[in-house]
Amino acid sequence: MLLVGLAVVAGIITLVVERFTAGFSDLAEQVSEGLDQVESFVVRTFPITQGQLEDAVTQAQDFLVGSQEQLATGAISTATTVGHVFTGIVLALFTLFFFLKDGRSIWLWLVGLFPRDARAYLDEAARRSWRTLISYVRATVAVALVDAVGIGIGLAVLGVPLVIPLAALVFLGAFIPIIGSFLAGSVAVLVALVSVGPIKALIALGIVIAVMQLEGHVLQPLLLGRAVHVHPLAVVLAIAAGLLVAGIFGALIAVPVVACANVAGTYLSRRHEGPRPPEPRPERARPAVSAG
């Protein structure tokens, strides 16, 4: 079952990423042309000169290029990087196998390290956090799928090219709440502006806004609201902190980490208000180190 699950997840991720990378060059070109059109509109409409706008864009590009070179240099500075990645994958699979096989036993052993009076509450807090994480992942996948299908159908009806890469980008962006959907939708509108003109680009913007409103007022309260009770300000701050600490990966895990910590902390702070949860049985756990 571990191999089947990994194959299914890897297949889905491969399909989405392959569709996105297949049209990445064309997508980047369309976005660049869209930014040029937006730049011309800003110069014609607002009291700003072409030189000032180009200087600001150049500074931003120089910053991104400089950061990219630093990241690339750090990534390929040593020949052991590939070996480290491979070792990490093997270790992750090895660890995952035993978490699935002996996860409850490992957890009971950890619980047994805490004082007897705290074990039941700690076990219940962990159970609630785990249920929250499961609900969050399921709801996020459902929301991302609805966003990708809705925006993809709208772009296809308008005749916008690169529909599949754009839909894949929307699907991936939806895993970063609030910020990801906004950025992916902006890219779709820029591509529509270049390929089908400003009128259809405005219609595409309306479709993106409508889908985001559906997500924000229906899907998230209905699906995510049951699993994650976190204020939007806390979500934005958590994503920003995740970006600073661990980059894109930090932004992806920031919200579920905050949600699980919120559930566990809330329960532990009010643990005496309800009945005492059932006692775990650490004596049933396998010892971490046997006497041989």
Side-chain angles (χ1 to χ4, degrees):
M1 288 307 299
L2 172 62
L3 296 177
V4 172
L6 289 175
V8 171
V9 173
I12 295 174
I13 295 176
T14 301
L15 177 63
V16 173
V17 174
E18 190 274 333
R19 288 291 86 200
F20 175 71
T21 55
F24 179 77
S25 58
D26 294 334
L27 183 62
E29 182 179 352
Q30 296 277 357
V31 172
S32 179
E33 293 181 10
L35 291 175
D36 290 339
Q37 292 189 16
V38 172
E39 179 181 333
S40 300
F41 173 78
V42 171
V43 172
R44 293 195 309 266
T45 306
F46 299 98
I48 184 173
T49 64
Q50 182 77 21
Q52 292 174 335
L53 190 58
E54 289 180 353
D55 290 341
V57 173
T58 301
Q59 291 178 3
Q61 291 176 343
D62 292 341
F63 173 78
L64 293 176
V65 170
S67 300
Q68 182 180 5
E69 291 177 352
Q70 292 177 1
L71 292 175
T73 302
I76 62 176
S77 59
T78 174
T80 60
T81 300
V82 175
H84 289 166
V85 172
F86 178 77
T87 304
I89 293 174
V90 173
L91 179 60
L93 291 177
F94 183 81
T95 306
L96 177 60
F97 173 79
F98 283 102
F99 278 167
L100 294 174
K101 180 177 180 292
D102 299 323
R104 182 59 183 171
S105 177
I106 295 172
W107 172 247
L108 288 175
W109 177 79
L110 289 174
V111 170
L113 299 178
F114 289 83
R116 183 177 299 274
D117 292 339
R119 293 174 184 173
Y121 297 111
L122 180 64
D123 183 57
E124 181 63 21
R127 288 175 179 270
R128 296 191 179 200
S129 297
W130 182 249
R131 290 195 295 267
T132 297
L133 179 61
I134 293 174
S135 300
Y136 173 83
V137 173
R138 291 175 177 173
T140 301
V141 171
V143 171
L145 184 61
V146 171
D147 287 353
V149 172
I151 294 178
I153 292 175
L155 295 177
V157 171
L158 293 176
V160 178
L162 306 173
V163 172
I164 295 180
L166 287 172
L169 180 62
V170 171
F171 180 83
L172 295 175
F175 283 87
I176 303 179
I178 302 175
I179 298 176
S181 298
F182 171 76
L183 294 177
S186 301
V187 172
V189 173
L190 287 174
V191 174
L193 176 63
V194 173
S195 58
V196 294
I199 302 300
K200 290 188 176 181
L202 290 176
I203 298 176
L205 177 61
I207 293 173
V208 171
I209 293 176
V211 172
M212 289 184 178
Q213 291 298 313
L214 174 66
E215 172 190 339
H217 293 87
V218 178
L219 296 178
Q220 286 190 353
L222 183 63
L223 299 177
L224 287 176
R226 296 179 179 179
V228 182
H229 301 282
V230 181
H231 194 276
L233 177 61
V235 171
V236 174
L237 294 179
I239 293 174
L243 282 171
L244 292 175
V245 173
I248 299 298
F249 179 75
L252 288 173
I253 68 171
V255 176
V257 167
V258 170
C260 292
N262 177 56
V263 170
T266 301
Y267 171 75
L268 291 176
S269 65
R270 302 174 182 176
R271 61 187 181 277
H272 298 301
E273 296 181 3
R276 184 179 179 85
E279 293 287 338
R281 304 290 298 275
E283 64 275 7
R284 295 185 177 181
R286 298 178 183 177
V289 179
S290 61

